[in-house]
Amino acid sequence: MSTSSHHPSAAHAGATVEIRPPRPPLPNFLTSVKLKYVKLGYHYLMSHLLTLCLLPLIAVTAVNLSQLNLDDVEKLYNHLQYNVITVMALSGAALIGTTAYLMTRPRPVFLVDYSCYRPPDDLKVKFDVFMERSRLHGGFNESALEFQRKILERSGLGEETYLPEALHSIPPVPSMAAARKEAEDVMFGALDNLFESTKVNPKDIGILVVNCSLFNPTPSLSSMIVNKYKLRGNIKTFNLGGMGCSAGVIAVDLAKDMLQVHRNTYAVVVSMENITQNWYFGNKKSMLIPNCLFRVGGAASLLSNKSADKRCAKYKLIHTVRTHCGADDTAFNCVYQEEDDARKVGVSLSKDLMAIAGSALKANITTLGPLVLPISEQVLFFASLVARRVMGSKMKPYIPDFKLAFDHFCIHAGGRAVIEELEKNLQLSDEHVEPSRMTLYRFGNTSSSSIWYELAYTEAKGRMKKGNRVWQIAFGSGFKCNSAVWEAVRSVKPSDSNPWADCIHKFPVKLSV
């Protein structure tokens, strides 16, 4: 048997000719370059455009200064001597301008620490227990019971959320006393942990803001806190009611404004909701949804305008943006507390809720975008807007990439649909919405405090690094969409009272579709 082989060289007329294999062709860059890398390069160029433009000017100035000699310096000195009045006038104007700036500039507001309330384990409610108690109550017909079961299964909630003590009784006892007890447990539980972790004397608190939508007794919730901790007599207290799940950001915004007026003081913000007297025992389906989503929770945060607190604070408040769509009747009525035909009180959720939330979000980010987005994204957005005006509305609008502005997202855990809609519209990754999904799963919809549980989740995972920016965004009745932007002043470690401390290793969990 004979074999033949091919070699890279061959003999011909006494000389060796080397035959090389053809080189692989260059890739087609038009098809191989990924758009996201081009966009990142464009973003870098636009972000450093001012620096790049100033470099030639700096270079020319440096060259001219290096050529100065003693005679040039002496001439400059003599010139200034002959223009003493002009120099003094300019110096005085500069001094006055600097003083005016220092006196009128916004004072920085720091988040020293915060605490999220974690109810005792005996208040946990599993799905089967929830359905059993609802059936034993006797006020729900079969259609209402089946509707609640389906909502629970699709809600994104887990089996370890909490209901107040009064709703664990058979039958439930939603009394005023029970509602006060729930409020005290949540507020004082969060505040005790906050004062313990910060070592701040409650008597040093100068401003107190409490928000709770549906439970507003007399004396007020803020008065209950003043009485409990014996706060000082000249404290500025505020009690916000009926403002929905976005009231936590409203409370922070109010505290920020108060800290601009009152120097060298602390502000405490307490965000919570009360479920005991606001459980719906009727059969109207649009009013049954809150039963399946809302759970016990609350948070307390300590804000400061003291410059010395920058060393120990976790975050600095950068922006708050509030959007109110209440002038529109559809938006105003989409979350509405009312009586049903049987005169049972509950909160009705409209089918238009998601559309209204989308419109409110659009209005909010239109205001927020110029404050936080890099110039590259603003140019692209403006160009898209002009193109749409010229070419008509058929052109797809450009959605700014908010991932270039923020490192972490705390989206109000109002429900599975809310989180998924924002994930889609803002083009976020699973990791970006993980804190919101896991908060909804572990604690349910805790109303205005949910954004703090989400921030605590991010800290417990060890993801919060110095300089990271956080976007807290919440929706509420009225209809409102509110945003708060924070910047980490250091790499943040979770507090001892972090509500995820003993279970963070279990998360994230895989949720069924």
Side-chain angles (χ1 to χ4, degrees):
M1 180 180 292
S2 63
T3 61
S4 61
S5 61
H6 297 280
H7 299 280
S9 62
H12 178 69
T16 300
V17 178
E18 183 177 359
I19 302 174
R20 296 180 180 177
R23 293 181 179 180
L26 290 174
N28 186 345
F29 287 101
L30 292 177
T31 59
S32 63
V33 175
K34 292 185 178 180
L35 181 60
K36 69 175 182 179
Y37 296 120
V38 176
K39 188 175 179 181
L40 286 174
Y42 167 73
H43 163 63
Y44 181 85
L45 175 64
M46 295 301 295
S47 299
H48 298 82
L49 184 62
L50 181 61
T51 302
L52 294 174
C53 292
L54 287 176
L55 281 177
L57 179 61
I58 295 172
V60 171
T61 303
V63 170
N64 288 332
L65 288 175
S66 66
Q67 296 176 349
L68 289 177
N69 53 38
L70 292 177
D71 291 337
D72 295 327
V73 175
E74 185 178 356
K75 288 179 182 178
L76 177 62
Y77 177 74
N78 292 332
H79 180 72
L80 292 176
Q81 277 187 322
Y82 292 126
N83 295 275
V84 174
I85 297 177
T86 303
V87 172
M88 291 182 64
L90 291 175
S91 300
L95 180 61
I96 293 173
T98 302
T99 303
Y101 169 74
L102 293 176
M103 293 293 291
T104 59
R105 67 172 179 170
R107 295 182 177 87
V109 174
F110 299 102
L111 174 61
V112 180
D113 204 353
Y114 64 96
S115 175
C116 298
Y117 173 67
R118 180 168 167 175
D121 289 345
D122 61 332
L123 296 185
K124 289 181 180 179
V125 55
K126 294 182 177 293
F127 287 177
D128 57 349
V129 173
F130 180 96
M131 292 307 302
E132 179 190 5
R133 300 286 169 81
S134 297
R135 192 177 300 278
L136 289 174
H137 176 264
F140 303 106
N141 59 33
E142 286 301 320
S143 177
L145 289 170
E146 179 62 16
F147 178 77
Q148 290 183 86
R149 184 188 65 79
K150 290 181 179 179
I151 293 295
L152 277 175
E153 291 175 351
R154 302 170 186 173
S155 64
L157 272 69
E159 300 272 357
E160 295 188 333
T161 58
Y162 305 91
L163 283 178
E165 185 178 337
L167 297 181
H168 281 272
S169 302
I170 303 176
V173 285
S175 63
M176 172 61 80
R180 281 186 181 275
K181 184 179 186 306
E182 180 192 348
E184 291 172 351
D185 290 344
V186 173
M187 294 190 304
F188 301 159
L191 286 168
D192 286 347
N193 288 332
L194 181 66
F195 291 140
E196 174 63 27
S197 64
T198 59
K199 308 302 180 185
V200 169
N201 187 338
K203 292 186 180 297
D204 291 334
I205 306 302
I207 301 161
L208 173 64
V209 184
V210 182
N211 70 269
C212 181
S213 287
L214 297 175
F215 181 62
N216 294 284
T218 298
S220 66
L221 298 174
S222 58
S223 294
M224 292 165 63
I225 294 174
V226 171
N227 179 260
K228 165 71 175 180
Y229 295 98
K230 309 305 178 188
L231 304 183
R232 65 197 200 197
N234 64 345
I235 188 171
K236 307 296 185 293
T237 63
F238 302 87
N239 210 97
L240 308 181
M243 304 197 78
C245 299
S246 67
V249 177
I250 296 174
V252 168
D253 184 56
L254 175 58
K256 178 198 73 174
D257 289 344
M258 293 299 295
L259 287 170
Q260 299 304 309
V261 178
H262 301 278
R263 295 173 174 272
N264 202 38
T265 190
Y266 290 112
V268 165
V269 174
V270 178
S271 298
M272 58 168 290
E273 193 50 85
N274 192 287
I275 298 175
T276 297
Q277 284 194 313
N278 295 289
W279 199 257
Y280 176 62
F281 292 105
N283 293 298
K284 187 175 180 180
K285 292 183 178 178
S286 64
M287 300 170 75
L288 284 168
I289 298 175
N291 285 10
C292 304
L293 297 178
F294 283 87
R295 296 293 184 265
V296 174
S301 54
L302 179 67
L303 305 179
S304 171
N305 59 9
K306 301 180 180 182
S307 57
D309 283 328
K310 182 178 181 179
R311 295 191 299 271
C312 60
K314 287 185 173 183
Y315 304 93
K316 179 182 177 180
L317 182 60
I318 306 299
H319 301 292
T320 53
V321 174
R322 293 165 56 178
T323 302
H324 205 309
C325 303
D328 180 81
D329 290 342
T330 305
F332 177 78
N333 292 307
C334 70
V335 180
Y336 203 86
Q337 187 179 27
E338 60 184 354
E339 291 180 335
D340 64 10
D341 295 338
R343 302 187 68 80
K344 294 180 179 177
V345 178
V347 176
S348 176
L349 303 183
S350 167
K351 293 180 180 179
D352 299 322
L353 179 59
M354 291 307 301
I356 297 299
S359 299
L361 173 65
K362 180 181 177 180
N364 189 265
I365 64 176
T366 300
T367 304
L368 179 67
L371 299 175
V372 298
L373 286 171
I375 187 65
S376 59
E377 287 299 293
Q378 296 189 45
V379 170
L380 287 175
F381 179 76
F382 180 74
S384 170
L385 185 64
V386 172
R388 277 172 57 82
R389 287 294 180 91
V390 174
M391 302 177 64
S393 58
K394 292 182 179 179
M395 180 179 174
K396 187 177 180 181
Y398 177 74
I399 305 299
D401 188 356
F402 280 91
K403 298 187 292 296
L404 296 174
F406 303 113
D407 303 282
H408 307 284
F409 297 80
C410 296
I411 301 167
H412 166 54
R416 189 171 187 169
V418 175
I419 298 171
E420 290 177 351
E421 194 66 22
L422 264 72
E423 178 185 21
K424 176 184 176 182
N425 288 336
L426 296 177
Q427 301 173 0
L428 304 179
S429 67
D430 287 340
E431 184 173 314
H432 287 134
V433 297
E434 181 184 310
S436 301
R437 281 203 176 104
M438 295 304 103
T439 294
L440 182 64
Y441 178 85
R442 177 63 183 85
F443 294 98
N445 182 348
T446 59
S447 189
S448 58
S449 65
S450 68
I451 53 178
W452 297 107
Y453 286 89
E454 293 159 12
L455 187 59
Y457 180 92
T458 304
E459 291 180 6
K461 281 292 184 180
R463 298 172 181 170
M464 192 62 66
K465 307 302 180 184
K466 182 179 180 179
N468 281 182
R469 285 200 170 193
V470 185
W471 183 13
Q472 290 181 323
I473 182 166
F475 303 90
S477 59
F479 189 85
K480 297 179 286 292
C481 176
N482 300 317
S483 295
V485 178
W486 303 89
E487 182 177 300
V489 297
R490 56 185 170 91
S491 294
V492 180
K493 296 181 179 179
S495 304
D496 294 337
S497 59
N498 189 295
W500 302 89
D502 64 344
C503 61
I504 192 63
H505 62 281
K506 301 177 183 178
F507 295 93
V509 299
K510 186 174 179 60
L511 302 178
S512 59
V513 180

